[in-house]
Amino acid sequence: MIKESWTESKKLWKIAGPAMFIRICAYSMMVITTICAGHLGVVELAAVAIQGNVIRGLAFGFLYGMGSALETLCGQAFGAGKIQMLGVYMQRSWLILLGTSVLLSFIYIFATPILKLLVQDEDVDDLAGEYALWMLPQLFAYALYFPMQKFLLAQRKLMAVAWIALAALIIHAFLSWLLIFQVGLGLVGAAITLNLSWYIIVTCQFLYIVYFCRDAWKGFSWLAFNDLWAFIRLSMASGVMLCLDFWYMSSLTLLAGHLKNAAIEVDAISICMNLNGWEAMIFIGFNAAISVRVSNELGAGRPNAAKFSVIVVILTSLSIGLICMGIILATKNQFAVLFTNSKVVRETVSNMAMLLGVTMVLNSVQPVLSGVAVGGGWQGLIAYVNVGCYYVIGLPLGLLMGYKFDLGAKGIWTGMICGTALQTVILLLITYFTNWNREAAQAEDRIRVWGGSAESYTNRSSKGKENAEYENNP
């Protein structure tokens, strides 16, 4: 068992390591922008936090979720040796996500009245709305980026993307310093820098796909327009499942804006959420890895291997989550200095350290279980679980504790943690009672309907040259 666990762990880390690094670099660009805004002023930090967690969060969550449909389809097609379908799937996802971005753009355009309708601080609303307009190009970068990311992830071609992400992060840090502080463009400079950094990533990834993924990318094809409705349904299920996760924690920042000293509360929550988001990139890496492992093994007809992979990744991620909690509690009086010069904000953050630590532990398991759901294609079921745990139980409980019991941001956060804890328990039970043999059969049906054929399953020992090489050399 120890040998098998070590072998599986190496397979997971081979995918998760680069995936984590890519996500940490991408997320760090936003954190750098937040840090710069914090040193411009309290209102500037709150405006960037509101735009990032509410306006961008709404769009990001939905597009990321819709793009995650490719984790199911590309992963299972790759496991079945249907590599040529990956490029077609990616193009279908581009069409759907770009169309969705056009609709989501109205959230950016009308950000100020939307935020004022939600009764935020007026000064923060005006600045956040102006900043949102400048950030509109990033929305369409997401629509191009997420399908490419899933396309490469399914093939485990992530090292080149990791180098691209690192280069973009370095460029972003330099341009942030130059445009925000030296040139004096303030938040406009921050928006220009962030948009430019994302389009550098998108352009470089596309060039890599064209020149180094010739087995899976055969150029643009009219096949991308086939079976669009079925693809939209799976994308929508993925979008609802994952965006409910993103919106849930984003609403914490929104609700904090209704409290006394709203700017201080929003700043403190923003700092905690940025650190939580940084840590979450580790577990989103595991989310990606387990999604690929489960979808590959189900597509290749190995249900027991998929189940074993789930056990290994849960234990690994939980251990890391406990370590992160310990670090936060040990440095609770120091870490806020990175983001702000305000003593009041730093003290507020220190008082929230325990909640942040507990959230980090829960977030070490929950994204992994969501990755299992994506790999298995259970998005519709998990969407119902998320609605019940988050919006029927967690959010109302948070409102009750925050406003009725006058516990402020800590009360809101505590109630929402209860919803996350319940969701995690339910996902664990669903995973535990899963019939993995049935899941493998459903993966076969899915591939046959969307580009595969039953003939590919007559000899499961031959699933494509690249897949076989990976299995023999984990």
Side-chain angles (χ1 to χ4, degrees), residues 161-455:
V161 182
W163 286 111
I164 292 170
L166 177 60
L169 177 61
I170 294 171
I171 293 170
H172 179 78
F174 171 73
L175 289 180
S176 295
W177 168 80
L178 180 65
L179 296 182
I180 296 173
F181 298 111
Q182 300 304 307
V183 178
L185 293 179
L187 291 190
V188 174
I192 292 172
T193 302
L194 202 51
N195 285 324
L196 180 60
S197 300
W198 271 100
Y199 278 98
I200 289 173
I201 293 175
V202 167
T203 301
C204 291
Q205 281 194 179
F206 179 70
L207 292 175
Y208 177 78
I209 288 171
V210 170
Y211 290 104
F212 296 101
C213 300
R214 297 184 184 276
D215 288 342
W217 174 260
K218 302 296 184 182
F220 293 100
S221 172
W222 289 107
L223 289 174
F225 292 91
N226 292 347
D227 300 314
L228 268 179
W229 178 240
F231 208 94
I232 288 172
R233 287 203 306 270
L234 183 60
S235 295
M236 290 293 292
S238 296
V240 172
M241 185 194 91
L242 290 176
C243 75
L244 289 175
D245 277 336
F246 284 100
W247 293 352
Y248 186 58
M249 294 312 295
S250 295
S251 66
L252 180 57
T253 304
L254 185 65
L255 294 172
H258 294 262
L259 300 169
K260 297 176 182 178
N261 301 317
I264 300 298
E265 296 283 5
V266 169
D267 285 356
I269 290 291
S270 173
I271 290 170
C272 290
M273 289 299 98
N274 271 283
L275 288 171
N276 181 63
W278 238 336
E279 183 243 19
M281 294 305 105
I282 297 173
F283 303 112
I284 290 178
F286 280 124
N287 169 289
I290 193 59
S291 175
V292 170
R293 292 291 300 129
V294 167
S295 59
N296 281 179
E297 297 297 355
L298 291 179
R302 292 189 288 266
N304 289 333
K307 180 179 179 180
F308 185 70
S309 184
V310 170
I311 295 171
V312 171
V313 77
I314 289 176
L315 294 176
T316 302
S317 60
L318 179 60
S319 300
I320 296 174
L322 292 171
I323 293 172
C324 290
M325 179 181 182
I327 293 172
I328 286 296
L329 295 180
T331 62
K332 66 178 184 178
N333 296 321
Q334 289 82 35
F335 62 76
V337 176
L338 180 64
F339 292 85
T340 180
N341 297 321
S342 171
K343 184 178 179 181
V344 176
V345 174
R346 293 201 301 266
E347 290 175 351
T348 306
V349 170
S350 180
N351 291 332
M352 295 180 177
M354 178 57 73
L355 286 173
L356 177 58
V358 173
T359 303
M360 285 184 165
V361 173
L362 288 174
N363 284 349
S364 68
V365 177
Q366 187 271 341
V368 170
L369 296 173
S370 294
V372 176
V374 171
W378 315 335
Q379 289 93 329
L381 171 63
I382 305 305
Y384 287 112
V385 174
N386 288 355
V387 169
C389 294
Y390 289 165
Y391 299 97
V392 176
I393 296 175
L395 196 56
L397 185 60
L399 291 172
L400 181 66
M401 297 178 70
Y403 294 101
K404 183 67 175 179
F405 297 151
D406 200 28
L407 295 177
K410 292 179 69 175
I412 297 171
W413 198 347
T414 300
M416 294 175 72
I417 284 177
C418 293
T420 303
L422 177 61
Q423 183 235 26
T424 302
V425 170
I426 292 175
L427 290 182
L428 281 170
L429 292 174
I430 291 174
T431 304
Y432 180 78
F433 288 107
T434 293
N435 184 329
W436 293 98
N437 289 320
R438 184 180 61 195
E439 294 300 322
Q442 289 178 350
E444 177 179 346
D445 293 339
R446 188 177 292 118
I447 296 166
R448 185 174 59 248
V449 170
W450 283 332
S453 114
E455 294 174 1

